[in-house]
Amino acid sequence: MFPMIVLVVALAAYANGQFPTGTCPFECNCNNTETICTSQSMFPTGISESALYFELRDSNIQEIRHGAFDNQRQLQRIKIVSSNITKLSACSFSNLQNLVKIEIVNSTVRIIEGNAFSHLTNITQIVFHDSRVGTIDSYAFHNVEGVDKFLFERNEIETISPHAFMNISRTANYKIMYNKIRLINSGVIKSMYAVTNFNFTGNSITDMFCGNQDALLESNATAQVFNNTFNCSCTLAWIFSLPANDYKTINFKEQNYCNDTQRGELIQLSKLQLSPLCEENVRCPMQSPILPYKDCMINFDKPLNPVDKVDYPNKDRKPSGQTAVVITFFQMLILVVFLLLIS
């Protein structure tokens, strides 16, 4: 009778996701669907292949590298909280076809490499908030489509490189709000189309080069671009090349400001006067993006081109994470037979 009670308890635990199906990394709490790791000095290995949720908390690691999640293709959500990461490498998340949300909260990331967030087919939310970011490389967020929420809010960002946000389309809410940004290079936001709600609001920006006006004045989005402050410098000279009578240009100049540090006051962009020292900047010398040093070899060895989107393979093909579920089923079956025999 006792073995049968053990069997019932084990099956109930398995059904509720409390019976582990794989290994659990050191300093982590795991069950059948979740792995939560704290106080890590290296990226944890041995995460269960059946995990649907992974959280990294209070950790200090060098890198989330290409292939870090090669064996966790069932992952649906990743959250990084109160952690320091030196580098999010190219293709960090590229194998995760089932991933629907990535959230980075109250953390520090020094470098986001090109192709770090690229070609994520099912992603619905990419969220950075209350974090510090050093450099966002060109093509860091690349060919990301169908996102419900793409949010950068209340972050401190050092440098955003040309084409850092490339081909982000069919997006419901594209929001860059209340950030402190030292440098936005030319052409940071490129090829934005089919965006329902674009919100670029309340940001404090030291320098913003030309080549971003198409995104800020995007015609196919419900654009909200106001209460941003820029340093009064020659990097703003591009606003004098905007069509003077266009209502979007007028609204942009009337609802955004530059910070005159010498006078200690905010000046409405519509009241700026072009200095002779800044006339060369009106012509908008564009900066060239640096292509990612690594193509992502993902999805059964199909490479990603850094400019053109590569189709994903047939979704009927099962990822390797299914294997863990099958193995666990047979393990439970063997346990049932064993308990019946000894009873």
Side-chain angles (χ1 to χ4, degrees):
M1 185 65 183
F2 178 73
M4 292 304 296
I5 295 175
V6 173
L7 173 61
V8 171
V9 172
L11 289 174
Y14 176 71
N16 288 318
Q18 301 299 317
F19 197 87
T21 62
T23 59
C24 187
F26 181 69
E27 295 287 355
C28 298
N29 293 319
C30 309
N31 60 34
N32 190 43
T33 59
E34 296 184 354
T35 299
I36 300 175
C37 297
T38 59
S39 305
Q40 302 289 310
S41 58
M42 298 178 62
F43 188 80
T45 58
I47 302 169
S48 171
E49 292 184 4
S50 62
L52 303 180
Y53 175 79
F54 171 72
E55 181 175 312
L56 183 68
R57 180 179 288 273
D58 299 320
S59 296
N60 191 343
I61 64 175
Q62 286 293 312
E63 179 181 15
I64 297 182
R65 59 176 177 78
H66 177 205
F69 297 103
D70 273 355
N71 296 321
Q72 291 77 39
R73 299 191 181 187
Q74 299 302 305
L75 274 175
Q76 296 178 4
R77 294 185 297 146
I78 294 174
K79 187 173 184 178
I80 299 173
V81 186
S82 302
S83 295
N84 296 318
I85 301 172
T86 301
K87 181 168 62 176
L88 289 178
S89 296
C91 323
S92 294
F93 310 105
S94 56
N95 279 332
L96 301 176
Q97 297 181 54
N98 295 310
L99 191 65
V100 296
K101 183 177 181 179
I102 300 175
E103 185 176 11
I104 297 180
V105 184
N106 194 30
S107 295
T108 298
V109 180
R110 293 187 182 180
I111 301 172
I112 303 176
E113 284 191 343
N115 276 340
F117 295 82
S118 297
H119 299 77
L120 300 171
T121 53
N122 293 316
I123 196 80
T124 60
Q125 295 187 45
I126 298 176
V127 177
F128 278 71
H129 66 83
D130 298 291
S131 294
R132 301 183 67 179
V133 180
T135 300
I136 303 177
D137 283 348
S138 300
Y139 303 100
F141 298 86
H142 173 217
N143 282 340
V144 180
E145 297 186 358
V147 179
D148 290 333
K149 181 166 68 173
F150 186 96
L151 174 66
F152 269 72
E153 185 174 23
R154 299 190 305 273
N155 302 291
E156 294 183 16
I157 304 172
E158 184 69 15
T159 302
I160 307 179
S161 303
H163 295 199
F165 303 104
M166 182 72 178
N167 292 344
I168 297 179
S169 57
R170 296 191 295 109
T171 300
N173 295 287
Y174 190 164
K175 298 183 178 182
I176 302 175
M177 304 169 59
Y178 308 112
N179 301 284
K180 293 182 179 179
I181 307 172
R182 188 189 68 82
L183 175 61
I184 298 180
N185 282 291
S186 63
V188 161
I189 301 173
K190 298 295 290 183
S191 302
M192 181 180 74
Y193 58 92
V195 174
T196 305
N197 179 23
F198 178 66
N199 195 319
F200 191 88
T201 301
N203 299 289
S204 176
I205 302 163
T206 303
D207 289 309
M208 180 173 180
F209 284 93
C210 63
N212 295 292
Q213 55 266 38
D214 290 343
L216 296 179
L217 306 177
E218 183 66 37
S219 60
N220 66 351
T222 305
Q224 301 177 62
V225 183
F226 58 89
N227 286 344
N228 298 288
T229 60
F230 309 85
N231 265 15
C232 296
S233 69
C234 288
T235 58
L236 275 182
W238 54 268
I239 68 172
F240 293 96
S241 67
L242 299 177
N245 296 323
D246 182 79
Y247 78 96
K248 290 190 175 183
T249 298
I250 295 171
N251 288 340
F252 175 73
K253 289 182 176 180
E254 289 182 349
Q255 296 176 3
N256 295 278
Y257 306 87
C258 82
N259 182 18
D260 189 332
T261 55
Q262 293 183 345
R263 297 181 181 179
E265 62 182 8
L266 294 179
I267 301 174
Q268 196 176 63
L269 293 185
S270 61
K271 297 179 180 179
L272 279 182
Q273 295 182 351
L274 179 63
S275 166
L277 298 176
C278 299
E279 289 181 356
E280 289 188 4
N281 295 66
V282 176
R283 293 196 296 270
C284 190
M286 293 294 290
Q287 299 163 312
S288 299
I290 299 174
L291 295 180
Y293 82 96
K294 180 187 291 184
D295 288 343
C296 303
M297 300 301 292
I298 69 167
N299 299 318
F300 319 108
D301 296 328
K302 281 197 172 185
L304 295 186
N305 183 285
V307 176
D308 300 320
K309 182 168 183 179
V310 176
D311 292 334
Y312 272 74
N314 191 323
K315 290 188 177 181
D316 292 335
R317 185 169 180 176
K318 300 297 184 184
S320 59
Q322 297 287 339
T323 307
V325 177
V326 175
I327 292 173
T328 302
F329 172 77
F330 281 107
Q331 289 172 340
M332 293 299 298
L333 185 60
I334 292 170
L335 177 62
V336 170
V337 173
F338 174 75
L339 291 175
L340 288 174
L341 288 175
I342 65 175
S343 63

